[in-house]
């Protein structure tokens, strides 16, 4: 379907996106200004401007928090306009999907600063070519950021992001360039050592997480945030395991290698001239670290020992679908409430039973 909006008043939905929002950022305001000025110049009707802030351009437009629902309903507008094409997407595949969506819904896409308007044949061709260059640029940006962070780690300079639990950021001058190094944070470091002591005494990670939640101890995610920016977050065993496995406890600089599929691997120590790179003081000594890792290793090894428990079939009954051990739990409600054996893998979507 070809659409021609020249000389007619059309309803415009503006779109603003930014990968990372900081207090100094003015880009969203500039994007809005470009959209509003273009709409006024073309004589269209601006019905709304939606914004996705702190959202990567690699995320599909159809899956973004604010834009996604508007594309799903596709009601009340004729043109989707953004200041630049890379605000809509930096992926050639996603741009192709967006073009197909526009065809199916009878909409036009406009990237104002790039001079792109898909209501014309040339505009459709150009948007696909431009999307390829945008994807290449995104890849180059990722490589430059990864390289810069690697260099900063080797200098002992903290690259970016939230410091490991137990540490705090301290400003430092690096040859005329201000940056940060890590130092021990007394409050969270003491809490971390308390967790380690409980693990070495044999307490389970499940119980430790429950105790931390009952006491209202802030999670690593919320600890460094101001009160108004904290979100609902609870301690879970996996958070504790990841934290206790991180060589950052020894003050070593680490990185998480990228795995196939975009996932990240376990933290690995960065070495320079055969020696670990240090970014801050160790929170525990090497002897305690070795004892802690040995204790965690023993917990990850499968155990077939029978435990004293009211669950008589624990370790005896297994799920016929996935092979996971069955656990005793309550089922039903009211007078139909009864004890039953269940496969708990279904909670993680690993088993249909």
């Amino acid at each position: 379907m070809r659409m021609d909006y020249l000389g007619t008043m059309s309803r415009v939905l503006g779109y603003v996106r930014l990968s990372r929002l900081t207090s100094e950022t003015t880009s969203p305001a500039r994007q809005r200004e470009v959209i509003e000025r273009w709409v006024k110049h073309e004589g269209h009707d601006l019905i709304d401007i939606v914004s996705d802030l702190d959202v990567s351009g690699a995320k599909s437009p159809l899956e973004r928090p604010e834009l996604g629902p508007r594309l799903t309903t596709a009601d009340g507008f004729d043109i989707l306009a953004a200041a630049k094409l890379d605000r809509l997407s930096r992926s050639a595949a996603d741009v192709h999907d967006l073009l197909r969506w526009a065809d199916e819904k009878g909409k036009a896409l406009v990237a104002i600063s790039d001079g792109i308007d898909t209501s014309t044949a040339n505009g459709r061709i150009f948007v696909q070519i431009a999307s390829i260059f945008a994807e290449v640029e995104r890849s180059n940006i990722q490589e430059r950021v990864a390289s810069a962070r690697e260099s900063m780690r080797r200098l002992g300079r903290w690259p970016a992001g939230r410091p490991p639990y137990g540490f705090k950021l301290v400003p430092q001058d690096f040859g005329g360039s201000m940056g940060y190094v890590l130092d021990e944070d007394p409050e969270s470091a003491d809490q971390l050592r308390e967790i380690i002591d409980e693990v070495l005494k044999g307490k389970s990670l499940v119980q430790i997480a429950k105790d931390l939640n009952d006491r209202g101890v802030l999670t690593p995610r919320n600890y460094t945030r101001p009160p108004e920016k904290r979100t609902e977050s609870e301690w879970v065993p996996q958070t504790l395991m990841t934290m206790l496995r991180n060589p950052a406890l020894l003050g070593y600089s680490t990185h998480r290698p990228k795995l196939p599929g975009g996932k990240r691997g376990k933290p690995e120590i960065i070495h320079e001239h055969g020696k670990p790179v240090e970014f801050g003081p160790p929170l525990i000594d090497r002897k305690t670290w070795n004892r802690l890792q040995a204790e965690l290793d023993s917990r990850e090894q499968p155990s077939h020992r029978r435990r004293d428990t009211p669950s008589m079939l624990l370790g005896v009954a297994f799920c016929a679908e996935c092979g996971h051990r069955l656990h005793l739990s309550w089922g039903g409600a009211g007078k139909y409430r009864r004890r039953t054996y269940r496969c708990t893998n279904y909670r993680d979507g690993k088993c249909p039973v």
Side-chain angles (χ1 to χ4, degrees):
M1 178 182 295
R2 183 183 183 279
M3 310 195 69
D4 189 357
Y5 296 103
L6 297 178
T8 64
M9 176 176 285
S10 299
R11 300 165 300 172
V12 177
L13 175 65
Y15 180 61
V16 171
R17 183 190 64 79
L18 196 68
S19 297
R20 184 176 296 277
L21 179 65
T22 64
S23 57
E24 296 83 11
T25 297
T26 58
S27 180
R30 289 199 301 269
Q31 292 180 50
R32 294 179 68 93
E33 182 182 350
V34 169
I35 295 170
E36 291 169 350
R37 187 168 59 245
W38 176 82
V39 169
K40 182 178 180 180
H41 179 268
E42 296 296 324
H44 295 318
D45 180 21
L46 182 62
I47 62 164
D48 195 8
I49 296 181
V50 296
S51 302
D52 279 315
L53 306 181
D54 282 334
V55 176
S56 169
K59 192 177 185 67
S60 169
L62 296 170
E63 297 176 357
R64 294 177 193 168
E66 300 299 326
L67 180 61
R70 302 298 291 267
L71 298 184
T72 301
T73 58
D75 293 333
F77 66 95
D78 307 304
I79 302 174
L80 175 62
K84 297 186 67 177
L85 179 62
D86 61 9
R87 299 304 90 193
L88 290 172
S89 181
R90 288 184 179 269
S91 165
D94 286 342
V95 168
H96 177 75
D97 291 341
L98 202 55
L99 283 172
R100 185 171 56 186
W101 167 86
D103 278 344
E104 293 174 352
K105 303 296 184 180
K107 311 295 181 183
L109 306 177
V110 173
I112 300 166
S113 297
D114 297 322
I116 296 175
D117 182 351
T118 63
S119 65
T120 67
N122 288 338
R124 291 179 59 83
I125 295 173
F126 187 68
V127 73
Q128 296 188 63
I129 295 174
S131 67
I132 295 174
F133 284 103
E135 183 168 354
V136 171
E137 177 61 16
R138 177 170 64 88
S139 178
N140 290 338
I141 290 173
Q142 290 175 338
E143 291 181 5
R144 289 197 297 268
V145 169
S147 177
R149 289 191 172 191
E150 182 74 9
S151 298
M152 285 191 286
R153 289 191 185 100
R154 294 187 183 281
L155 291 173
R157 178 175 176 173
W158 184 247
R162 185 178 69 235
Y165 192 72
F167 293 91
K168 63 181 179 181
L169 295 175
V170 178
Q172 181 171 310
D173 185 1
F174 288 85
S177 173
M178 291 303 298
Y180 291 93
V181 295
L182 297 186
D183 198 2
E184 179 178 322
D185 176 66
E187 182 179 350
S188 58
D190 287 346
Q191 182 62 68
L192 185 54
R193 295 189 186 101
E194 180 183 325
I195 292 171
I196 293 172
D197 287 342
E198 291 179 337
V199 171
L200 294 178
K201 291 176 183 177
K203 199 168 186 178
S204 73
L205 297 184
V206 173
Q207 187 58 52
I208 294 174
K210 182 179 183 302
D211 291 346
L212 291 170
N213 291 327
D214 290 344
R215 288 159 45 197
V217 177
L218 293 175
T219 62
R221 176 186 298 178
N222 282 331
Y223 183 74
T224 56
R225 291 178 174 176
E228 66 273 10
K229 291 189 176 181
R230 289 171 185 165
T231 58
E232 291 188 9
S233 177
E234 291 189 340
W235 290 89
V236 295
Q238 186 57 48
T239 298
L240 292 170
M241 180 64 78
T242 301
M243 191 167 63
L244 298 176
R245 287 291 199 186
N246 195 337
L249 292 173
L250 296 170
Y252 293 153
S253 184
T254 65
H255 74 106
R256 296 178 63 190
K258 194 172 183 179
L259 302 177
K263 295 184 178 181
R264 294 283 179 178
K266 295 181 179 179
E268 296 181 356
I269 300 175
I270 296 176
H271 291 79
E272 181 76 12
H273 306 302
K275 296 183 178 180
V277 176
E278 298 182 357
F279 64 65
L283 299 184
I284 58 176
D285 56 40
R286 171 63 71 170
K287 182 178 179 180
T288 303
W289 166 264
N290 291 337
R291 288 179 57 208
L292 176 62
Q293 300 312 306
E295 174 64 26
L296 296 176
D297 288 340
S298 68
R299 298 186 184 193
E300 291 188 340
Q301 295 174 357
S303 174
H304 300 291
R305 292 181 300 170
R306 183 74 168 81
R307 298 182 180 181
D308 293 331
T309 169
S311 177
M312 298 180 63
L313 297 182
L314 182 64
V316 177
F318 294 84
C319 176
E321 186 71 24
C322 68
H324 187 70
R325 160 184 319 191
L326 297 182
H327 291 264
L328 190 63
S329 64
W330 285 99
K335 66 178 182 179
Y336 299 104
R337 186 168 171 79
R338 64 191 184 283
R339 283 190 175 274
T340 180
Y341 282 89
R342 295 179 181 272
C343 174
T344 55
N345 256 354
Y346 78 93
R347 297 174 182 170
D348 301 324
K350 299 177 181 177
C351 179
V353 177

